[in-house]
């Protein structure tokens, strides 16, 4: 469960965020990842580096207002920061020792989705169905032409 739960949380995030229509989806994700970038500030586990990371994450997230790629990069930066915190023993949730570890598993799931354009999963399925339908139609037309 230590590995599975964070991955499922990442997938749940993708599904729930996919319910938000574009362009609001992209902008909301930029705001969320900016907030995630500041999540470690209250713990202060890495001193002044927490402020430097938050500034970097905020700049990247700001660019995410207009670009899914920047949002994906911001989630990957947060993943790296989660790993550092996990190794240094300063978890994102102070009373949950493996919280940074879990976050480091969850965040790349979200990052991959963002780097793929932040599309709703069912949009991909719909496109596949449309492609398959168009392909069948083309084959029927070709078959009818050959019979003539």
């Amino acid at each position: 469960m230590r590995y599975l739960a964070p991955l499922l949380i990442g997938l749940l995030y993708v599904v729930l965020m996919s319910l938000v229509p574009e362009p609001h989806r992209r902008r909301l994700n930029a705001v969320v990842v900016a907030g995630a970038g500041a999540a470690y500030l209250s713990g202060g586990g890495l001193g002044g580096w927490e402020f430097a990371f938050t500034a970097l994450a905020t700049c990247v997230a700001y660019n995410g207002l207009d670009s899914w790629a920047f949002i994906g990069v911001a989630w990957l930066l947060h993943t790296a920061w989660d790993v550092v915190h996990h190794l240094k023993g300063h978890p994102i949730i102070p009373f949950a020792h493996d919280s940074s570890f879990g976050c480091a598993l969850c965040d790349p799931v979200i990052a991959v989705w963002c780097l793929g354009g932040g599309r709703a999963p069912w949009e991909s399925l719909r496109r596949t169905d449309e492609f398959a339908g168009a392909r069948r139609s083309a084959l029927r037309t070709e078959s009818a032409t050959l019979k003539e």
Side-chain angles (χ1 to χ4, degrees), residues 16-69:
L16 292 176
M17 278 295 186
S18 293
L19 298 174
V20 178
E22 279 290 5
H24 306 294
R25 183 186 312 156
R26 186 186 63 245
R27 294 183 187 137
L28 179 58
N29 274 277
V31 171
V32 169
V33 76
Y40 286 107
L41 273 178
S42 64
L46 297 175
W49 289 108
E50 301 290 4
F51 291 101
F53 175 77
T54 300
L56 173 64
T58 301
C59 289
V60 176
Y62 176 78
N63 284 299
L65 289 169
D66 296 316
S67 167
W68 278 106

Side-chain angles (χ1 to χ4, degrees), residues 3-5 12 21 42 47 52 57 60 62 66 73 86 88 92-93 95 98 100 104-105 109 117 126 135 146-147:
Y3 301 99
L4 185 59
L12 179 64
S42 64
V60 176
Y62 176 78
D66 296 316
V73 169
H86 178 70
K88 289 289 190 178
I92 193 167
I93 302 171
F95 55 85
D98 281 346
S100 291
L105 293 178
V109 172
R126 195 174 312 132
R135 179 90 173 125
L146 291 175
K147 288 180 182 177

Side-chain angles (χ1 to χ4, degrees), residues 60-98:
V60 176
Y62 176 78
N63 284 299
L65 289 169
D66 296 316
S67 167
W68 278 106
F70 276 101
I71 298 169
V73 169
W75 278 115
L76 291 175
L77 286 170
H78 194 263
T79 300
W81 208 236
D82 291 328
V83 170
V84 170
H85 273 267
H86 178 70
L87 295 175
K88 289 289 190 178
H90 299 285
I92 193 167
I93 302 171
F95 55 85
H97 181 266
D98 281 346

Side-chain angles (χ1 to χ4, degrees), residues 133-147:
R135 179 90 173 125
R136 281 190 298 268
S137 177
L139 288 174
R140 272 187 248 134
T141 304
E142 186 177 312
S143 176
T145 305
L146 291 175
K147 288 180 182 177

